[in-house]
Amino acid sequence: MGTVELTTENFEQTVTKDGIVLVDFWAEWCGPCKRFAPIFEQSAEEKPEITHAKVDTEDQQALGAQFGITAIPTLMAFRDGIMVYNQAGALAGPDLQNLVKAVEDLDMDKVRADVAAQQAAE
């Protein structure tokens, strides 16, 4: 399937759908982003059931601002519409595979209960 380009128009509908969505915030001028890109692309080929999406922070500055992106690359993982990972820095291939496995293994009933408890406390 490859990667999907995200914009302010399609971001919300993409990350809120069921399943796993990985989002790579990047920019053309960013060296670490360029080194991470083939690792992300390989993951997209190996895991076509997972949506792999990219946000060009130069072109989509509003999305970068909305999520407080201050360093790139930043990788986010959403599962069933809930952000479950958000960290700056390029990952090596095995680290990305481990992250994907961890997201796949999440007990989403527990995650939803934790989110509800956190929202109730706010």
Side-chain angles (χ1 to χ4, degrees):
M1 177 178 165
T3 60
V4 177
E5 288 295 322
L6 293 184
T7 65
T8 54
E9 288 79 29
N10 67 355
F11 187 92
E12 193 70 25
Q13 73 183 42
T14 301
V15 302
T16 57
K17 68 182 186 175
D18 286 345
I20 298 171
V21 181
L22 299 178
V23 181
D24 174 23
F25 287 80
W26 69 285
E28 183 64 38
W29 52 263
C30 168
C33 298
K34 289 181 180 183
R35 289 189 294 279
F36 180 61
I39 294 166
F40 195 72
E41 293 287 340
Q42 182 176 353
S43 177
E45 290 175 19
E46 292 173 356
K47 292 282 195 174
E49 69 278 13
I50 294 174
T51 301
H52 288 70
K54 296 178 80 67
V55 174
D56 180 344
T57 58
E58 290 295 307
D59 185 50
Q60 299 297 318
Q61 292 182 13
L63 281 175
Q66 177 181 341
F67 287 97
I69 302 299
T70 58
I72 53 175
T74 289
L75 184 64
M76 292 182 184
F78 294 83
R79 179 150 172 213
D80 301 339
I82 300 170
M83 184 190 307
V84 295
Y85 180 86
N86 178 0
Q87 188 169 322
L91 296 176
D95 295 329
L96 181 56
Q97 290 172 346
N98 290 339
L99 171 64
V100 167
K101 173 113 176 70
V103 173
E104 289 173 332
D105 291 347
L106 284 172
D107 176 347
M108 289 308 293
D109 289 333
K110 181 176 181 340
V111 170
R112 282 187 278 279
D114 290 348
V115 168
Q118 183 179 20
Q119 289 174 342
E122 291 177 356

